[in-house]
């Protein structure tokens, strides 16, 4: 056995492994004997098959497996003895000569090996990262208050339809009549909506349904026909308005305050609104800090990666799921994420950041609560939240996303304790204009 190393640069090397016949002969013989013990051929007792038949049937497989075992062992020994921080795994060199698999031959294999760089840098109070404090304004509080009251509001009878209202109508065309169809004015095509705004119960309009309702699925549903039937219909219908339904905000009552936040007075309700806005702004500010800190730390760490090799490895390991063009297209984002994972692992080790099951469960519960809130469910029982969170964590992709999120959060929390936060007040409008 002979190994030759060609160091190309700090991160890349080429390894040539020369395998002589005697290096794999014993292994191949053992594999053939194993095949013989298990082989079943008609006319021969199990284990008594002539070796010539075994050789004929399994000789090539035994040769390839024994040589590959020898090569894999040498590769692993080389990596371990030299303490290489291997990127991905070794790849056959692009100029690897074609192998002629004949027993007794000597073989030569060439591998490209790339290393991840050693990471070593220090953070201190000399390192400054901006942390934004977003100002809570009366306008923001009023906007959230109105949104919450609208969210918990109800449809009531109205007089003249406004752009956000609904109307209940009958469509007629000859002997065809479709009764009691709900129409949301916001879904009416912009060019036709003007004719709908201001209609009252009893009003009659001639409507070109193709022009007023551009979405075929919605149009078919309103006219109670299949999408295939739409093409056969005359689009002109007489539309009679039966009712106007307007969305009315929930009233400022104890019942409303109790339903939304579990409080009794408007002052408590307003305080809860401000508390929620501050929590949302703090979350946005934390996310922004994470983004800025990540950029700052990556620049300071100065991580170099064997990108040419990494592209090849991503292509090979995904077994043709991506073309090289696909990989190139998303490379800028991928390489930042790859570098960050290395740097984050370094920081987690440096600052002794540990991830507990409780951390993952808490994050999953927060995500579950957010999802419930999207549907207006703000006071979900704790046991229901926990069950939903555990289900999230049991899903491989979701569980991996939660773990990545928690690792980021705890790493940036550790970084915040070390660096100097350059605090800066900013309006929410200016904050959201930041790139």
């Amino acid at each position: 056995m002979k190994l030759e190393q060609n160091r190309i640069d700090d991160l890349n090397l080429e390894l040539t492994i020369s395998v002589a016949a005697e290096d794999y002969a014993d292994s191949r013989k053992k594999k053939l004997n194993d095949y013989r013990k298990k082989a079943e051929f008609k006319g021969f007792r199990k284990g008594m098959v002539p070796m010539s038949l075994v050789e004929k049937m399994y000789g090539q497989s035994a040769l390839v497996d024994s040589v590959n075992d020898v090569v894999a062992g040498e590769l692993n020994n080389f990596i371990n003895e030299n303490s290489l921080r291997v990127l991905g795994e070794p790849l056959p060199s692009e100029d690897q000569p074609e192998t002629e698999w004949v027993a007794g031959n000597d073989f030569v294999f060439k591998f490209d090996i790339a290393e991840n760089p050693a990471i070593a840098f220090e953070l201190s109070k000399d390192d400054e990262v901006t942390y934004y404090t977003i100002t809570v304004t009366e306008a923001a509080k009023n906007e959230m208050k109105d949104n919450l009251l609208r969210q918990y509001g109800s449809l009531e009878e109205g007089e003249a339809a406004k752009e956000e209202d609904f109307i209940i109508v009958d469509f007629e065309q000859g002997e065809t009549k479709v009764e009691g169809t709900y129409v949301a004015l916001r879904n009416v095509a912009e060019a036709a909506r003007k004719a709908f705004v201001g209609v009252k119960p009893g009003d009659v309009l001639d409507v070109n349904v193709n022009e007023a309702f551009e979405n075929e699925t919605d149009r078919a549903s309103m006219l109670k026909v299949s999408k295939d039937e739409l093409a056969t219909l005359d689009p002109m219908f007489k539309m009679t308005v039966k009712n106007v339904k307007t969305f009315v905000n929930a009233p400022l009552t104890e019942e409303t305050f109790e339903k939304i936040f579990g409080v009794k007075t408007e002052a408590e309700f307003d305080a809860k609104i401000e508390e929620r806005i501050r929590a949302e702004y703090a979350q946005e500010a934390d996310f922004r800090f994470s983004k800025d800190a990540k950029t700052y730390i990556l620049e300071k760490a100065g991580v170099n990666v064997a990108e040419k090799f990494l592209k090849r490895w991503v292509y090979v390991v995904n077994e043709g799921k991506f073309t090289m063009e696909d990989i190139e297209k998303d490379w800028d984002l991928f390489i930042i994420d790859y570098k960050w994972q290395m740097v984050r692992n370094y920081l987690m080790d440096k600052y002794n950041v540990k991830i507990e099951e409780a951390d993952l469960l808490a994050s999953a519960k927060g995500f579950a609560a957010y999802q419930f809130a999207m549907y207006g469910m703000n006071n979900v029982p704790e046991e229901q939240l926990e069950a939903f969170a555990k289900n999230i964590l049991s899903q491989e992709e979701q569980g991996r996303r939660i773990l990545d999120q928690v690792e980021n959060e705890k790493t940036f929390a550790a970084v915040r304790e070390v660096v100097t936060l350059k605090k800066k007040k900013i309006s929410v409008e200016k904050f959201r204009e930041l790139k």
Side-chain angles (χ1 to χ4, degrees):
M1 185 81 61
K2 182 181 178 184
L3 275 73
E4 293 180 83
Q5 174 185 172
N6 175 27
R7 173 61 72 171
I8 297 168
D9 56 36
D10 289 345
L11 298 177
N12 292 278
L13 64 90
E14 183 181 75
L15 186 68
T16 301
I17 302 177
S18 300
V19 181
E22 59 267 23
D23 296 324
Y24 64 81
D26 289 344
S27 175
R28 180 174 182 270
K29 184 177 179 180
K30 183 178 182 303
K31 288 182 186 294
L32 286 173
N33 283 327
D34 289 341
Y35 279 125
R36 187 185 187 198
K37 291 174 186 176
K38 300 171 186 175
E40 295 184 9
F41 284 76
K42 287 184 179 180
F44 298 96
R45 283 184 295 161
K46 189 174 182 179
M48 300 300 291
V49 181
M51 185 55 80
S52 59
L53 283 178
V54 175
E55 174 83 38
K56 185 175 181 180
M57 289 294 296
Y58 302 110
Q60 187 81 339
S61 295
L63 173 64
V64 173
D65 290 346
S66 59
V67 172
N68 283 340
D69 287 349
V70 170
V71 172
E74 288 301 313
L75 267 176
N76 288 332
N77 289 340
F78 178 82
I79 290 167
N80 293 332
E81 289 170 5
N82 292 277
S83 302
L84 301 184
R85 300 175 298 275
V86 176
L87 187 165
E89 58 192 20
L91 293 177
S93 294
E94 292 178 305
D95 60 350
Q96 165 68 35
E98 188 173 344
T99 303
E100 187 177 353
W101 292 101
V102 176
N105 278 4
D106 295 341
F107 300 98
V108 176
F109 299 95
K110 295 172 70 175
F111 292 93
D112 294 329
I113 300 175
E115 291 186 80
N116 283 317
I119 298 175
F121 65 95
E122 297 294 330
L123 293 174
S124 69
K125 291 300 179 183
D126 292 334
D127 297 292
E128 293 186 346
V129 182
T130 300
Y131 187 90
Y132 294 96
T133 302
I134 307 172
T135 306
V136 178
T137 63
E138 287 301 316
K141 289 189 279 188
N142 290 336
E143 182 182 1
M144 177 171 281
K145 187 172 187 176
D146 185 66
N147 288 339
L148 284 170
L149 294 175
R150 179 176 291 275
Q151 183 180 339
Y152 285 84
S154 58
L155 280 175
E156 296 182 6
E157 294 295 329
E159 294 183 1
K162 300 182 288 298
E163 288 209 9
E164 292 299 314
D165 288 347
F166 295 79
I167 53 177
I168 302 172
V169 303
D170 294 342
F171 288 108
E172 293 181 73
Q173 186 185 94
E175 296 182 0
T176 302
K177 187 171 184 179
V178 182
E179 298 181 318
T181 295
Y182 266 77
V183 175
L185 265 66
R186 65 176 175 272
N187 291 338
V188 177
E190 191 172 349
R193 194 179 305 154
K194 190 174 181 181
F196 285 72
V197 174
V199 297
K200 300 175 182 177
D203 286 352
V204 178
L205 290 78
D206 289 324
V207 175
N208 184 318
V209 293
N210 289 356
E211 295 175 355
F213 310 107
E214 295 173 328
N215 185 292
E216 286 191 352
T217 301
D218 292 345
R219 188 160 76 244
S221 176
M222 285 190 295
L223 299 176
K224 298 179 182 176
V225 297
S226 69
K227 287 176 70 172
D228 292 338
E229 292 176 285
L230 286 177
T232 66
L233 294 179
D234 180 344
M236 293 305 301
F237 278 80
K238 182 174 76 171
M239 186 185 81
T240 303
V241 181
K242 309 301 288 185
N243 302 89
V244 172
K245 294 288 187 179
T246 188
F247 208 87
V248 177
N249 284 2
L252 290 167
T253 62
E254 184 177 325
E255 182 183 359
T256 299
F257 306 148
E258 182 75 36
K259 185 186 295 183
I260 298 176
F261 284 131
V263 297
K264 297 185 180 299
T265 67
E266 186 171 2
E268 291 174 314
F269 183 69
D270 289 343
K272 283 289 185 182
I273 287 172
E274 182 168 351
E275 181 184 319
R276 176 178 284 192
I277 292 174
R278 289 191 184 281
E280 289 181 0
Y281 284 177
Q283 192 172 30
E284 290 187 57
D286 286 346
F287 181 79
R288 181 72 206 192
F289 169 79
S290 300
K291 182 179 178 182
D292 291 343
K294 178 178 176 180
T295 301
Y296 178 87
I297 292 169
L298 282 175
E299 185 174 346
K300 178 159 189 170
V303 179
N304 290 316
V305 175
E307 293 194 33
K308 183 179 178 182
F309 178 94
L310 182 56
K311 288 175 185 178
R312 272 185 65 208
W313 182 78
V314 170
Y315 178 78
V316 170
V317 80
N318 283 286
E319 297 181 1
K321 292 179 184 176
F322 308 111
T323 65
M324 286 304 294
E325 289 74 20
D326 293 332
I327 293 170
E328 289 286 355
K329 183 175 63 177
D330 298 324
W331 189 251
D332 288 347
L333 292 175
F334 176 87
I335 196 63
I336 288 172
D337 188 55
Y338 185 85
K339 290 178 179 180
W340 172 245
Q341 287 182 47
M342 287 192 290
V343 171
R344 184 179 65 192
N345 289 340
Y346 168 78
L347 292 172
M348 289 178 70
D349 183 61
K350 185 176 182 63
Y351 298 124
N352 198 29
V353 175
K354 305 295 182 186
I355 307 299
E356 309 291 346
E357 284 295 324
D359 300 320
L360 299 176
L361 185 60
S363 182
K365 283 169 70 174
F367 178 66
Y370 171 78
Q371 287 194 314
F372 281 121
M374 293 287 286
Y375 293 97
M377 302 168 65
N378 292 300
N379 297 304
V380 179
E382 181 67 18
E383 60 273 15
Q384 189 175 349
L385 263 184
E386 185 158 328
F388 198 82
K390 287 179 177 177
N391 181 57
I392 291 171
L393 292 174
S394 70
Q395 300 170 40
E396 183 179 354
E397 188 173 341
Q398 290 276 45
R400 191 165 54 245
R401 183 188 62 78
I402 293 289
L403 174 61
D404 187 67
Q405 178 179 308
V406 171
E407 286 185 342
N408 275 337
E409 288 172 354
K410 296 198 76 172
T411 300
F412 286 121
V415 168
R416 283 179 64 169
E417 297 299 314
V418 178
V419 303
T420 296
L421 300 186
K422 191 166 60 176
K423 295 187 177 181
K424 182 177 180 180
K425 288 187 177 181
I426 192 172
S427 70
V428 69
E429 293 80 13
K430 291 292 185 184
F431 178 83
R432 288 172 184 164
E433 289 175 3
L434 296 173
K435 294 182 179 178

